[in-house]
Amino acid sequence: MASLGLFSGTKCVNVRFRLPYYTQWGQSLVVCGSEPVLGAWNVKKGLLLSPVHEGDELLWCGTIAIPKDFESEYNYYVVDDNRNVLRSEMGKKRKLLLPEGIQDGILVELHDLWLIGADALSFTSAFKDVIFRTRSILKVERHLGLIKNRLDNEDSVIVHFKICCPNIEQDTSIYVIGSSFKLGQWKIDSGLKLSYSGQSIWHVDCFLFVFLNNYSTYKYCKYRDAGNFSLETGATRDLSLESSNAKLRYVVRSDGMMRETPWRGAGVAIPMFSIRSETDLGVGEFLDLKLLVDWAVESGFHLIQLLPINDTSVHGMWWDSYPYSSLSVCALHPLYLRVHALSENIPQDIKVEIEKAKEQLDGKVVDYEATMATKLAIAKKVFAQEKELILNSSSFQEFLSENEDWLKPYAAFCFLRDFFETSDHSQWGRFSYFSKEKLEKLVSKDSLHYDVISFHYYIQYHLHLQLSEAADYAREQGVILKGDLPIGVDRNSVDTWVYPDLFRMNTSTGAPPDYFDKNGQNWGFPTYNWEEMSKDNYAWWRARLTQMAKYFTAYRIDHILGFFRIWELPEHAVTGLVGKFRPSIPLSQEELEREGVWDFDRLSKPYIQQQFLQDKFGVSWPVIASTFMNEYQKNQYEFKDDSNTEKKIASKLRSLSDKSLLENENKTRIDLFDLLRNVVLIRDPEDPGKFYPRFNLEDTSSFQDLDEHSKNVLKKLYYDYYFHRQENLWRQNALKTLPALLNSSDMLACGEDLGLIPSCVHPVMQELGLIGLRIQRMPNEPDLEFGIPSQYDYMTVCAPSCHDCSTMRAWWEEDEERRRRYFKTVVSSDMLPPDRCVPEIAHFIIKQHVDAPSMWAIFPLQDLLALKEKYTTRPAAEETINDPTNPKHYWRFRVHVTLESLIKDDELITTIKDLVRGSGRSYPGGHTEIQAKQELSFSSTQKQPVANEKEKISVISQGTPQKDLLAVR
């Protein structure tokens, strides 16, 4: 029991914490709270609980003495023997309040359940403010002050039942019923009706006589005025009271979430730039989202998912079309501005200019440079006309005041970028290094260039107004806007200029070889200095999320693996193959020497034999060798200093291309890169005594030429490094960084967890309540070629494709043998599949996903358009958004049909809505018979039942009708 010295001279009440939780060896539980007796949020000073076995359950218990007017917040933590936090509860902090009029010496027992991340999802803005928005009109019947009743009978105990139920219709009540007489003996009309206390919490007091009823079982249920009721799912809840404890007078049962059939919804995904409307100017615009919301509502979708919408204007050319290379993590992209909405008083000549530009820019794909130039030119003309009016308005002044921390540096950066004609701030002379003093001079109203500075304010202000208008409209219609949080920022960005200490500027971010690219990916972003970021509790990340939450109610964490570990490459790398994980535990020189490995130069420098040169370059090998290499031993070569990195090789090749020394520059570059990467170990540039095994080292000729002992040792160390050695480190890293993001906003968070997945990732995501991603063609299971949607976990988003791969149609049509395997494995047919993804095939694949147990089924708009032959005339390959193998891919896809025409297509809308409704998923404004039985239970791990009956899909092959085929859903 905690020391009573804290409350010397006061009359105390005993509070006993009681939590069922199974721990591993060396783990304990601590309760820590806001008051000193509970550690004042210092877990090392919190109350250490003791384990007690009660039947098959392991309970953790502890008691403190507190004064009768005591109030505190608290939570539970799993700690090791040194009280280091291994795991903490998610969601809102608990509150400890004592019953009114409680007597001295009385025991209050708190029966709690561990709160997992999934329990908190109902309190995210996606559900609280959008999906369940109409539920918020419930009136508070009784505030949550725990127990209001007083006990007069020494043989009785008050049990305070408390349950969370966020999704409840009007004219519906919640009851607790159970086996005891007091709980109605399982009869609803004799059970206890709960009162609403706000924030989705319902509660009721029950007087029980200990000596008569020590044990009972119970459940919660919903009861509608019409007489319909639904009992919560799962096993009954148990209530056991200790009759031997005479001082036990109050029991608080915090029963977590009401257990019900999980809520499920559907959505559409489309990049902002890909939207086409009759109003836009060559590219999708924020105000187009209102039309997209209308279409989504009609089609049964509760969610619209976008790619990043931040400004990417780094190079001033089409390279800036890459939406994941942010110039600023807070500024919105001017590309999405609707210029004719800037003012109600646009002069006629500018209106004519807009109409002419609209016609010129209405192309098949986005012309990034022309569209940006046109919009900015028009916006400058409107700005010149109304700048005094806008800049002096109270609305603008409020916007500037609320956003000046990022807006002023952004405007100053844009001015300096254009003045010096480069975003590389290292080329800006005395402005290369940011300071607040320099900033204030740059943005001063007295400066000669203030019009330029204020123009950038003006653009961001109107982008904010237009996106806010669309976001508010989406909320009102019950549609979630889901944003995208890029893993990186451009190395020449506002953020690297203002916060250089937060980035490792001599490195580059990417991904190891995976489904997308056998050579890995190099995104070019500097990696993060997590140690520096942690010093202010990740304030930079928290600011990003706070800004996003102004517009979005859900977001996708791009490459969530980067919060566990990032694939770090040297800044001079071009490809993504020769990297290492950060953080990770390297192989030390001493460790390698103990294993009998000692020739470190041989293992870590490119291994180039004359035979390799002859095999790759044929008769041209002497020219290649003399140009790029030195022969340091007979028949053994090394790269010259001007050619010893991928960037140096690429640069040298470009300089030689006019001298006709090369027959094929691209092939020569690839072959030289292969030789440069022909290493077994990568030496740490910051610590020469540490090494990292090269990814897929067994594929190198350097490895193949080693003796058997060295091969065996290095293979063992390789698999340990990539699959075992780092797991605990990466887990701890994610549990430090991810909660800072999740706690900085109330948006619903989803994580893009594709690629090489460490085993620690999914348990951590489950613990934090993060929703994962499942793409059928990229299954997590190593023994499957195609994922099985009916077996997906509830805490997932499922989709047939995503922006980083080909569309459903293109994927179907690009590989005949794979198409046959899919037809045999998934459709259960040995017949010849059609060579085109006809609407029947699209319907089958989409139905698989919409029927899946996943919380969300989100479909790229291109995949949905494949449901109708009319929209499949465009070559499928043209609908691909990104090619991950090409670092200079032009992101310019535009949908070939306007939103206005899609809204009028009742046939397509009906087809989609029937799929959503038939799956039992929720849809805006709807309440199907299946859906009426589906209330939210995020903590449930129960999977949705999938129908076993077979449906017929008619397919066409080579233009010739075939027999109907049976396909299992």
Side-chain angles (χ1 to χ4, degrees), residues 223-393:
Y223 183 83
R224 296 176 178 82
D225 286 350
N228 298 321
F229 71 93
S230 57
L231 198 63
E232 68 173 342
T233 60
T236 57
R237 302 176 187 263
D238 299 328
L239 173 62
S240 179
L241 303 176
E242 297 182 28
S243 58
S244 60
N245 192 337
K247 292 187 177 182
L248 177 62
R249 307 306 299 278
Y250 297 90
V251 174
V252 181
R253 298 282 297 185
S254 297
D255 281 325
M257 300 291 299
M258 191 165 179
R259 301 190 304 240
E260 301 175 89
T261 305
W263 183 97
R264 294 154 64 240
V268 59
I270 186 72
M272 190 69 248
F273 57 80
S274 298
I275 295 171
R276 184 188 293 268
S277 74
E278 295 173 3
T279 312
D280 70 47
L281 201 65
V283 70
E285 298 168 346
F286 286 145
L287 288 174
D288 288 329
L289 290 172
K290 295 173 71 174
L291 282 175
L292 185 56
V293 166
D294 290 340
W295 181 81
V297 169
E298 290 299 312
S299 302
F301 292 135
H302 261 307
L303 183 146
I304 292 171
Q305 178 171 312
L306 304 175
L307 293 188
I309 55 171
N310 297 108
D311 191 354
T312 59
S313 307
V314 176
H315 305 284
M317 58 182 294
W318 65 264
W319 288 3
D320 295 338
S321 67
Y322 181 30
Y324 287 91
S325 188
S326 306
L327 176 81
S328 164
V329 297
C330 291
L332 299 171
H333 207 309
L335 188 69
Y336 306 130
L337 182 71
R338 178 160 294 173
V339 291
H340 54 274
L342 288 174
S343 173
E344 296 179 355
N345 302 306
I346 295 179
Q348 185 61 32
D349 61 328
I350 296 180
K351 288 182 179 179
V352 171
E353 183 179 353
I354 292 172
E355 289 304 313
K356 184 178 179 180
K358 187 187 300 182
E359 184 177 339
Q360 292 173 341
L361 295 171
D362 187 24
K364 185 176 183 179
V365 293
V366 176
D367 186 335
Y368 182 91
E369 292 168 281
T371 302
M372 275 289 288
T374 300
K375 288 196 172 192
L376 290 176
I378 294 172
K380 284 177 181 176
K381 294 177 182 179
V382 181
F383 172 69
Q385 169 189 298
E386 62 166 15
K387 63 182 177 182
E388 298 299 330
L389 176 66
I390 295 298
L391 299 182
N392 292 321
S393 68

Side-chain angles (χ1 to χ4, degrees), residues 460-500:
Q460 289 300 312
Y461 170 66
H462 277 287
L463 287 166
H464 164 72
L465 293 179
Q466 293 181 12
L467 181 55
S468 295
E469 181 181 335
D472 291 343
Y473 185 76
R475 287 189 185 94
E476 291 167 3
Q477 302 303 313
V479 174
I480 293 166
L481 277 190
K482 182 180 178 184
D484 198 320
L485 183 76
I487 186 62
V489 301
D490 197 284
R491 64 178 58 254
N492 296 319
S493 65
V494 180
D495 299 277
T496 59
W497 181 52
V498 178
Y499 308 106

Side-chain angles (χ1 to χ4, degrees), residues 498-517:
V498 178
Y499 308 106
D501 292 344
L502 300 185
F503 304 91
R504 290 169 52 82
M505 297 298 290
N506 62 338
T507 67
S508 185
T509 303
D514 59 10
Y515 174 91
F516 296 114
D517 194 334

Side-chain angles (χ1 to χ4, degrees), residues 731-966:
R731 181 184 182 280
Q732 291 174 353
N733 197 53
L735 289 175
K736 288 178 184 176
T737 56
L738 284 171
L741 270 72
L742 302 178
N743 295 332
S744 60
S745 80
D746 61 356
M747 292 184 288
L748 177 69
C750 306
E752 184 263 298
D753 54 347
L754 303 177
L756 183 68
I757 310 294
S759 60
C760 63
V761 170
H762 291 143
V764 168
M765 291 182 66
Q766 183 178 12
E767 184 176 328
L768 298 180
L770 281 160
I771 302 166
L773 176 62
R774 299 293 176 268
I775 305 294
Q776 189 174 26
R777 70 186 74 168
M778 291 177 268
N780 287 337
E781 301 83 0
D783 57 330
L784 292 180
E785 183 178 11
F786 312 110
I788 306 173
S790 64
Q791 296 181 8
Y792 290 160
D793 291 333
Y794 173 64
M795 290 289 289
T796 57
V797 171
C798 70
S801 69
C802 66
H803 69 273
D804 273 330
C805 59
S806 55
T807 62
M808 182 174 66
R809 271 206 311 139
W811 178 82
W812 182 267
E813 295 169 12
E814 67 192 9
D815 189 325
E816 180 181 357
E817 288 304 314
R818 184 181 61 199
R819 189 163 64 233
R820 290 186 180 186
R821 293 193 302 272
Y822 182 91
F823 222 57
K824 180 177 179 63
T825 304
V826 182
V827 183
S828 301
S829 172
D830 291 322
M831 299 185 70
L832 183 67
D835 56 4
R836 293 179 55 250
C837 184
V838 294
E840 291 86 355
I841 291 294
H843 191 279
F844 171 79
I845 295 174
I846 290 172
K847 183 167 176 55
Q848 271 192 306
H849 288 77
V850 83
D851 283 347
S854 302
M855 181 192 299
W856 289 102
I858 301 177
F859 303 95
L861 182 58
Q862 305 96 299
D863 291 353
L864 294 168
L865 294 181
L867 288 166
K868 191 169 181 178
E869 190 77 33
K870 172 183 176 182
Y871 301 118
T872 61
T873 55
R874 184 176 187 171
E878 292 182 2
E879 295 184 331
T880 298
I881 295 168
N882 177 36
D883 176 8
T885 65
N886 179 7
K888 295 299 182 184
H889 174 75
Y890 195 166
W891 297 62
R892 62 190 316 199
F893 166 72
R894 289 192 82 191
V895 179
H896 58 293
V897 57
T898 66
L899 288 172
E900 289 87 350
S901 60
L902 283 178
I903 290 171
K904 295 176 184 176
D905 192 334
D906 293 334
E907 183 183 359
L908 178 64
I909 286 173
T910 300
T911 299
I912 296 172
K913 193 164 188 176
D914 284 349
L915 281 164
V916 176
R917 270 194 306 202
S919 71
R921 291 183 180 270
S922 172
Y923 57 94
H927 204 74
T928 65
E929 186 175 334
I930 298 175
Q931 186 184 338
K933 301 175 183 177
Q934 290 186 321
E935 310 294 350
L936 182 67
S937 177
F938 286 109
S939 56
S940 172
T941 56
Q942 178 180 343
K943 293 186 177 179
Q944 285 290 96
V946 178
N948 291 321
E949 74 269 13
K950 295 182 177 181
E951 66 171 333
K952 294 182 178 180
I953 61 169
S954 178
V955 296
I956 302 174
S957 176
Q958 310 296 331
T960 305
Q962 293 185 347
K963 296 180 181 178
D964 286 350
L965 304 179
L966 293 178

Side-chain angles (χ1 to χ4, degrees), residues 13 68 97-102 108 145-149 250 252:
V13 174
K68 291 190 287 186
L97 300 170
L98 292 177
E100 291 182 355
I102 192 169
V108 177
L146 283 195
I147 303 163
K148 298 289 186 183
N149 296 293
Y250 297 90
V252 181

Side-chain angles (χ1 to χ4, degrees), residues 56-179:
D56 294 334
E57 223 170 21
L58 180 64
L59 301 176
W60 289 86
C61 304
T63 305
I64 59 171
I66 56 177
K68 291 190 287 186
D69 60 351
F70 181 83
E71 292 186 12
S72 179
E73 293 182 325
Y74 71 98
N75 272 122
Y76 295 96
Y77 300 83
V78 178
V79 299
D80 61 19
D81 291 336
N82 296 317
R83 289 215 185 185
N84 297 311
V85 176
L86 303 175
R87 189 174 299 112
S88 57
E89 289 189 292
M90 298 297 295
K92 294 185 176 182
K93 290 180 168 58
R94 301 173 183 270
K95 291 186 178 179
L96 171 55
L97 300 170
L98 292 177
E100 291 182 355
I102 192 169
Q103 299 172 353
D104 300 336
I106 290 297
L107 176 63
V108 177
E109 199 166 71
L110 305 180
H111 291 201
D112 290 330
L113 297 175
W114 180 271
L115 298 175
I116 61 173
D119 292 330
L121 295 189
S122 60
F123 299 104
T124 60
S125 55
F127 288 95
K128 174 171 57 74
D129 300 334
V130 182
I131 304 298
F132 302 149
R133 184 172 52 89
T134 57
R135 317 294 196 261
S136 61
I137 61 175
L138 288 169
K139 293 182 179 178
V140 174
E141 301 165 318
R142 171 184 159 193
H143 289 285
L144 189 63
L146 283 195
I147 303 163
K148 298 289 186 183
N149 296 293
R150 295 183 59 183
L151 281 170
D152 297 317
N153 190 315
E154 294 184 358
D155 296 323
S156 62
V157 172
I158 289 182
V159 177
H160 183 78
F161 293 96
K162 187 167 62 174
I163 192 73
C164 180
C165 183
N167 183 17
I168 187 166
E169 301 290 339
Q170 288 186 8
D171 303 321
T172 299
S173 302
I174 294 181
Y175 283 76
V176 58
I177 60 175
S179 57

Side-chain angles (χ1 to χ4, degrees), residues 437-588:
E437 293 75 20
K438 293 175 187 175
L439 174 66
E440 290 307 318
K441 289 181 181 179
L442 282 167
V443 301
S444 170
K445 290 184 179 180
D446 299 328
S447 66
L448 295 175
H449 55 261
Y450 185 68
D451 268 7
V452 178
I453 295 292
S454 58
F455 175 69
H456 294 296
Y457 293 164
Y458 171 82
I459 294 294
Q460 289 300 312
Y461 170 66
H462 277 287
L463 287 166
H464 164 72
L465 293 179
Q466 293 181 12
L467 181 55
S468 295
E469 181 181 335
D472 291 343
Y473 185 76
R475 287 189 185 94
E476 291 167 3
Q477 302 303 313
V479 174
I480 293 166
L481 277 190
K482 182 180 178 184
D484 198 320
L485 183 76
I487 186 62
V489 301
D490 197 284
R491 64 178 58 254
N492 296 319
S493 65
V494 180
D495 299 277
T496 59
W497 181 52
V498 178
Y499 308 106
D501 292 344
L502 300 185
F503 304 91
R504 290 169 52 82
M505 297 298 290
N506 62 338
T507 67
S508 185
T509 303
D514 59 10
Y515 174 91
F516 296 114
D517 194 334
K518 66 178 182 179
N519 287 321
Q521 298 175 56
N522 185 345
W523 303 322
F525 316 133
T527 57
Y528 295 118
N529 185 344
W530 289 110
E531 294 79 10
E532 190 67 26
M533 287 180 162
S534 67
K535 291 178 181 177
D536 59 5
N537 192 25
Y538 309 98
W540 182 79
W541 283 102
R542 290 185 284 110
R544 288 184 72 176
L545 271 295
T546 300
Q547 186 69 14
M548 279 190 75
K550 293 179 180 179
Y551 315 109
F552 298 105
T553 49
Y555 67 107
R556 167 190 178 271
I557 302 175
D558 174 44
H559 192 62
I560 197 171
L561 304 184
F563 293 90
F564 293 79
R565 84 293 184 274
I566 201 72
W567 186 246
E568 185 176 77
L569 302 152
E571 190 273 335
H572 55 69
V574 174
T575 65
L577 184 59
V578 186
K580 62 183 176 64
F581 287 124
R582 179 178 174 85
S584 66
I585 304 168
L587 308 177
S588 68

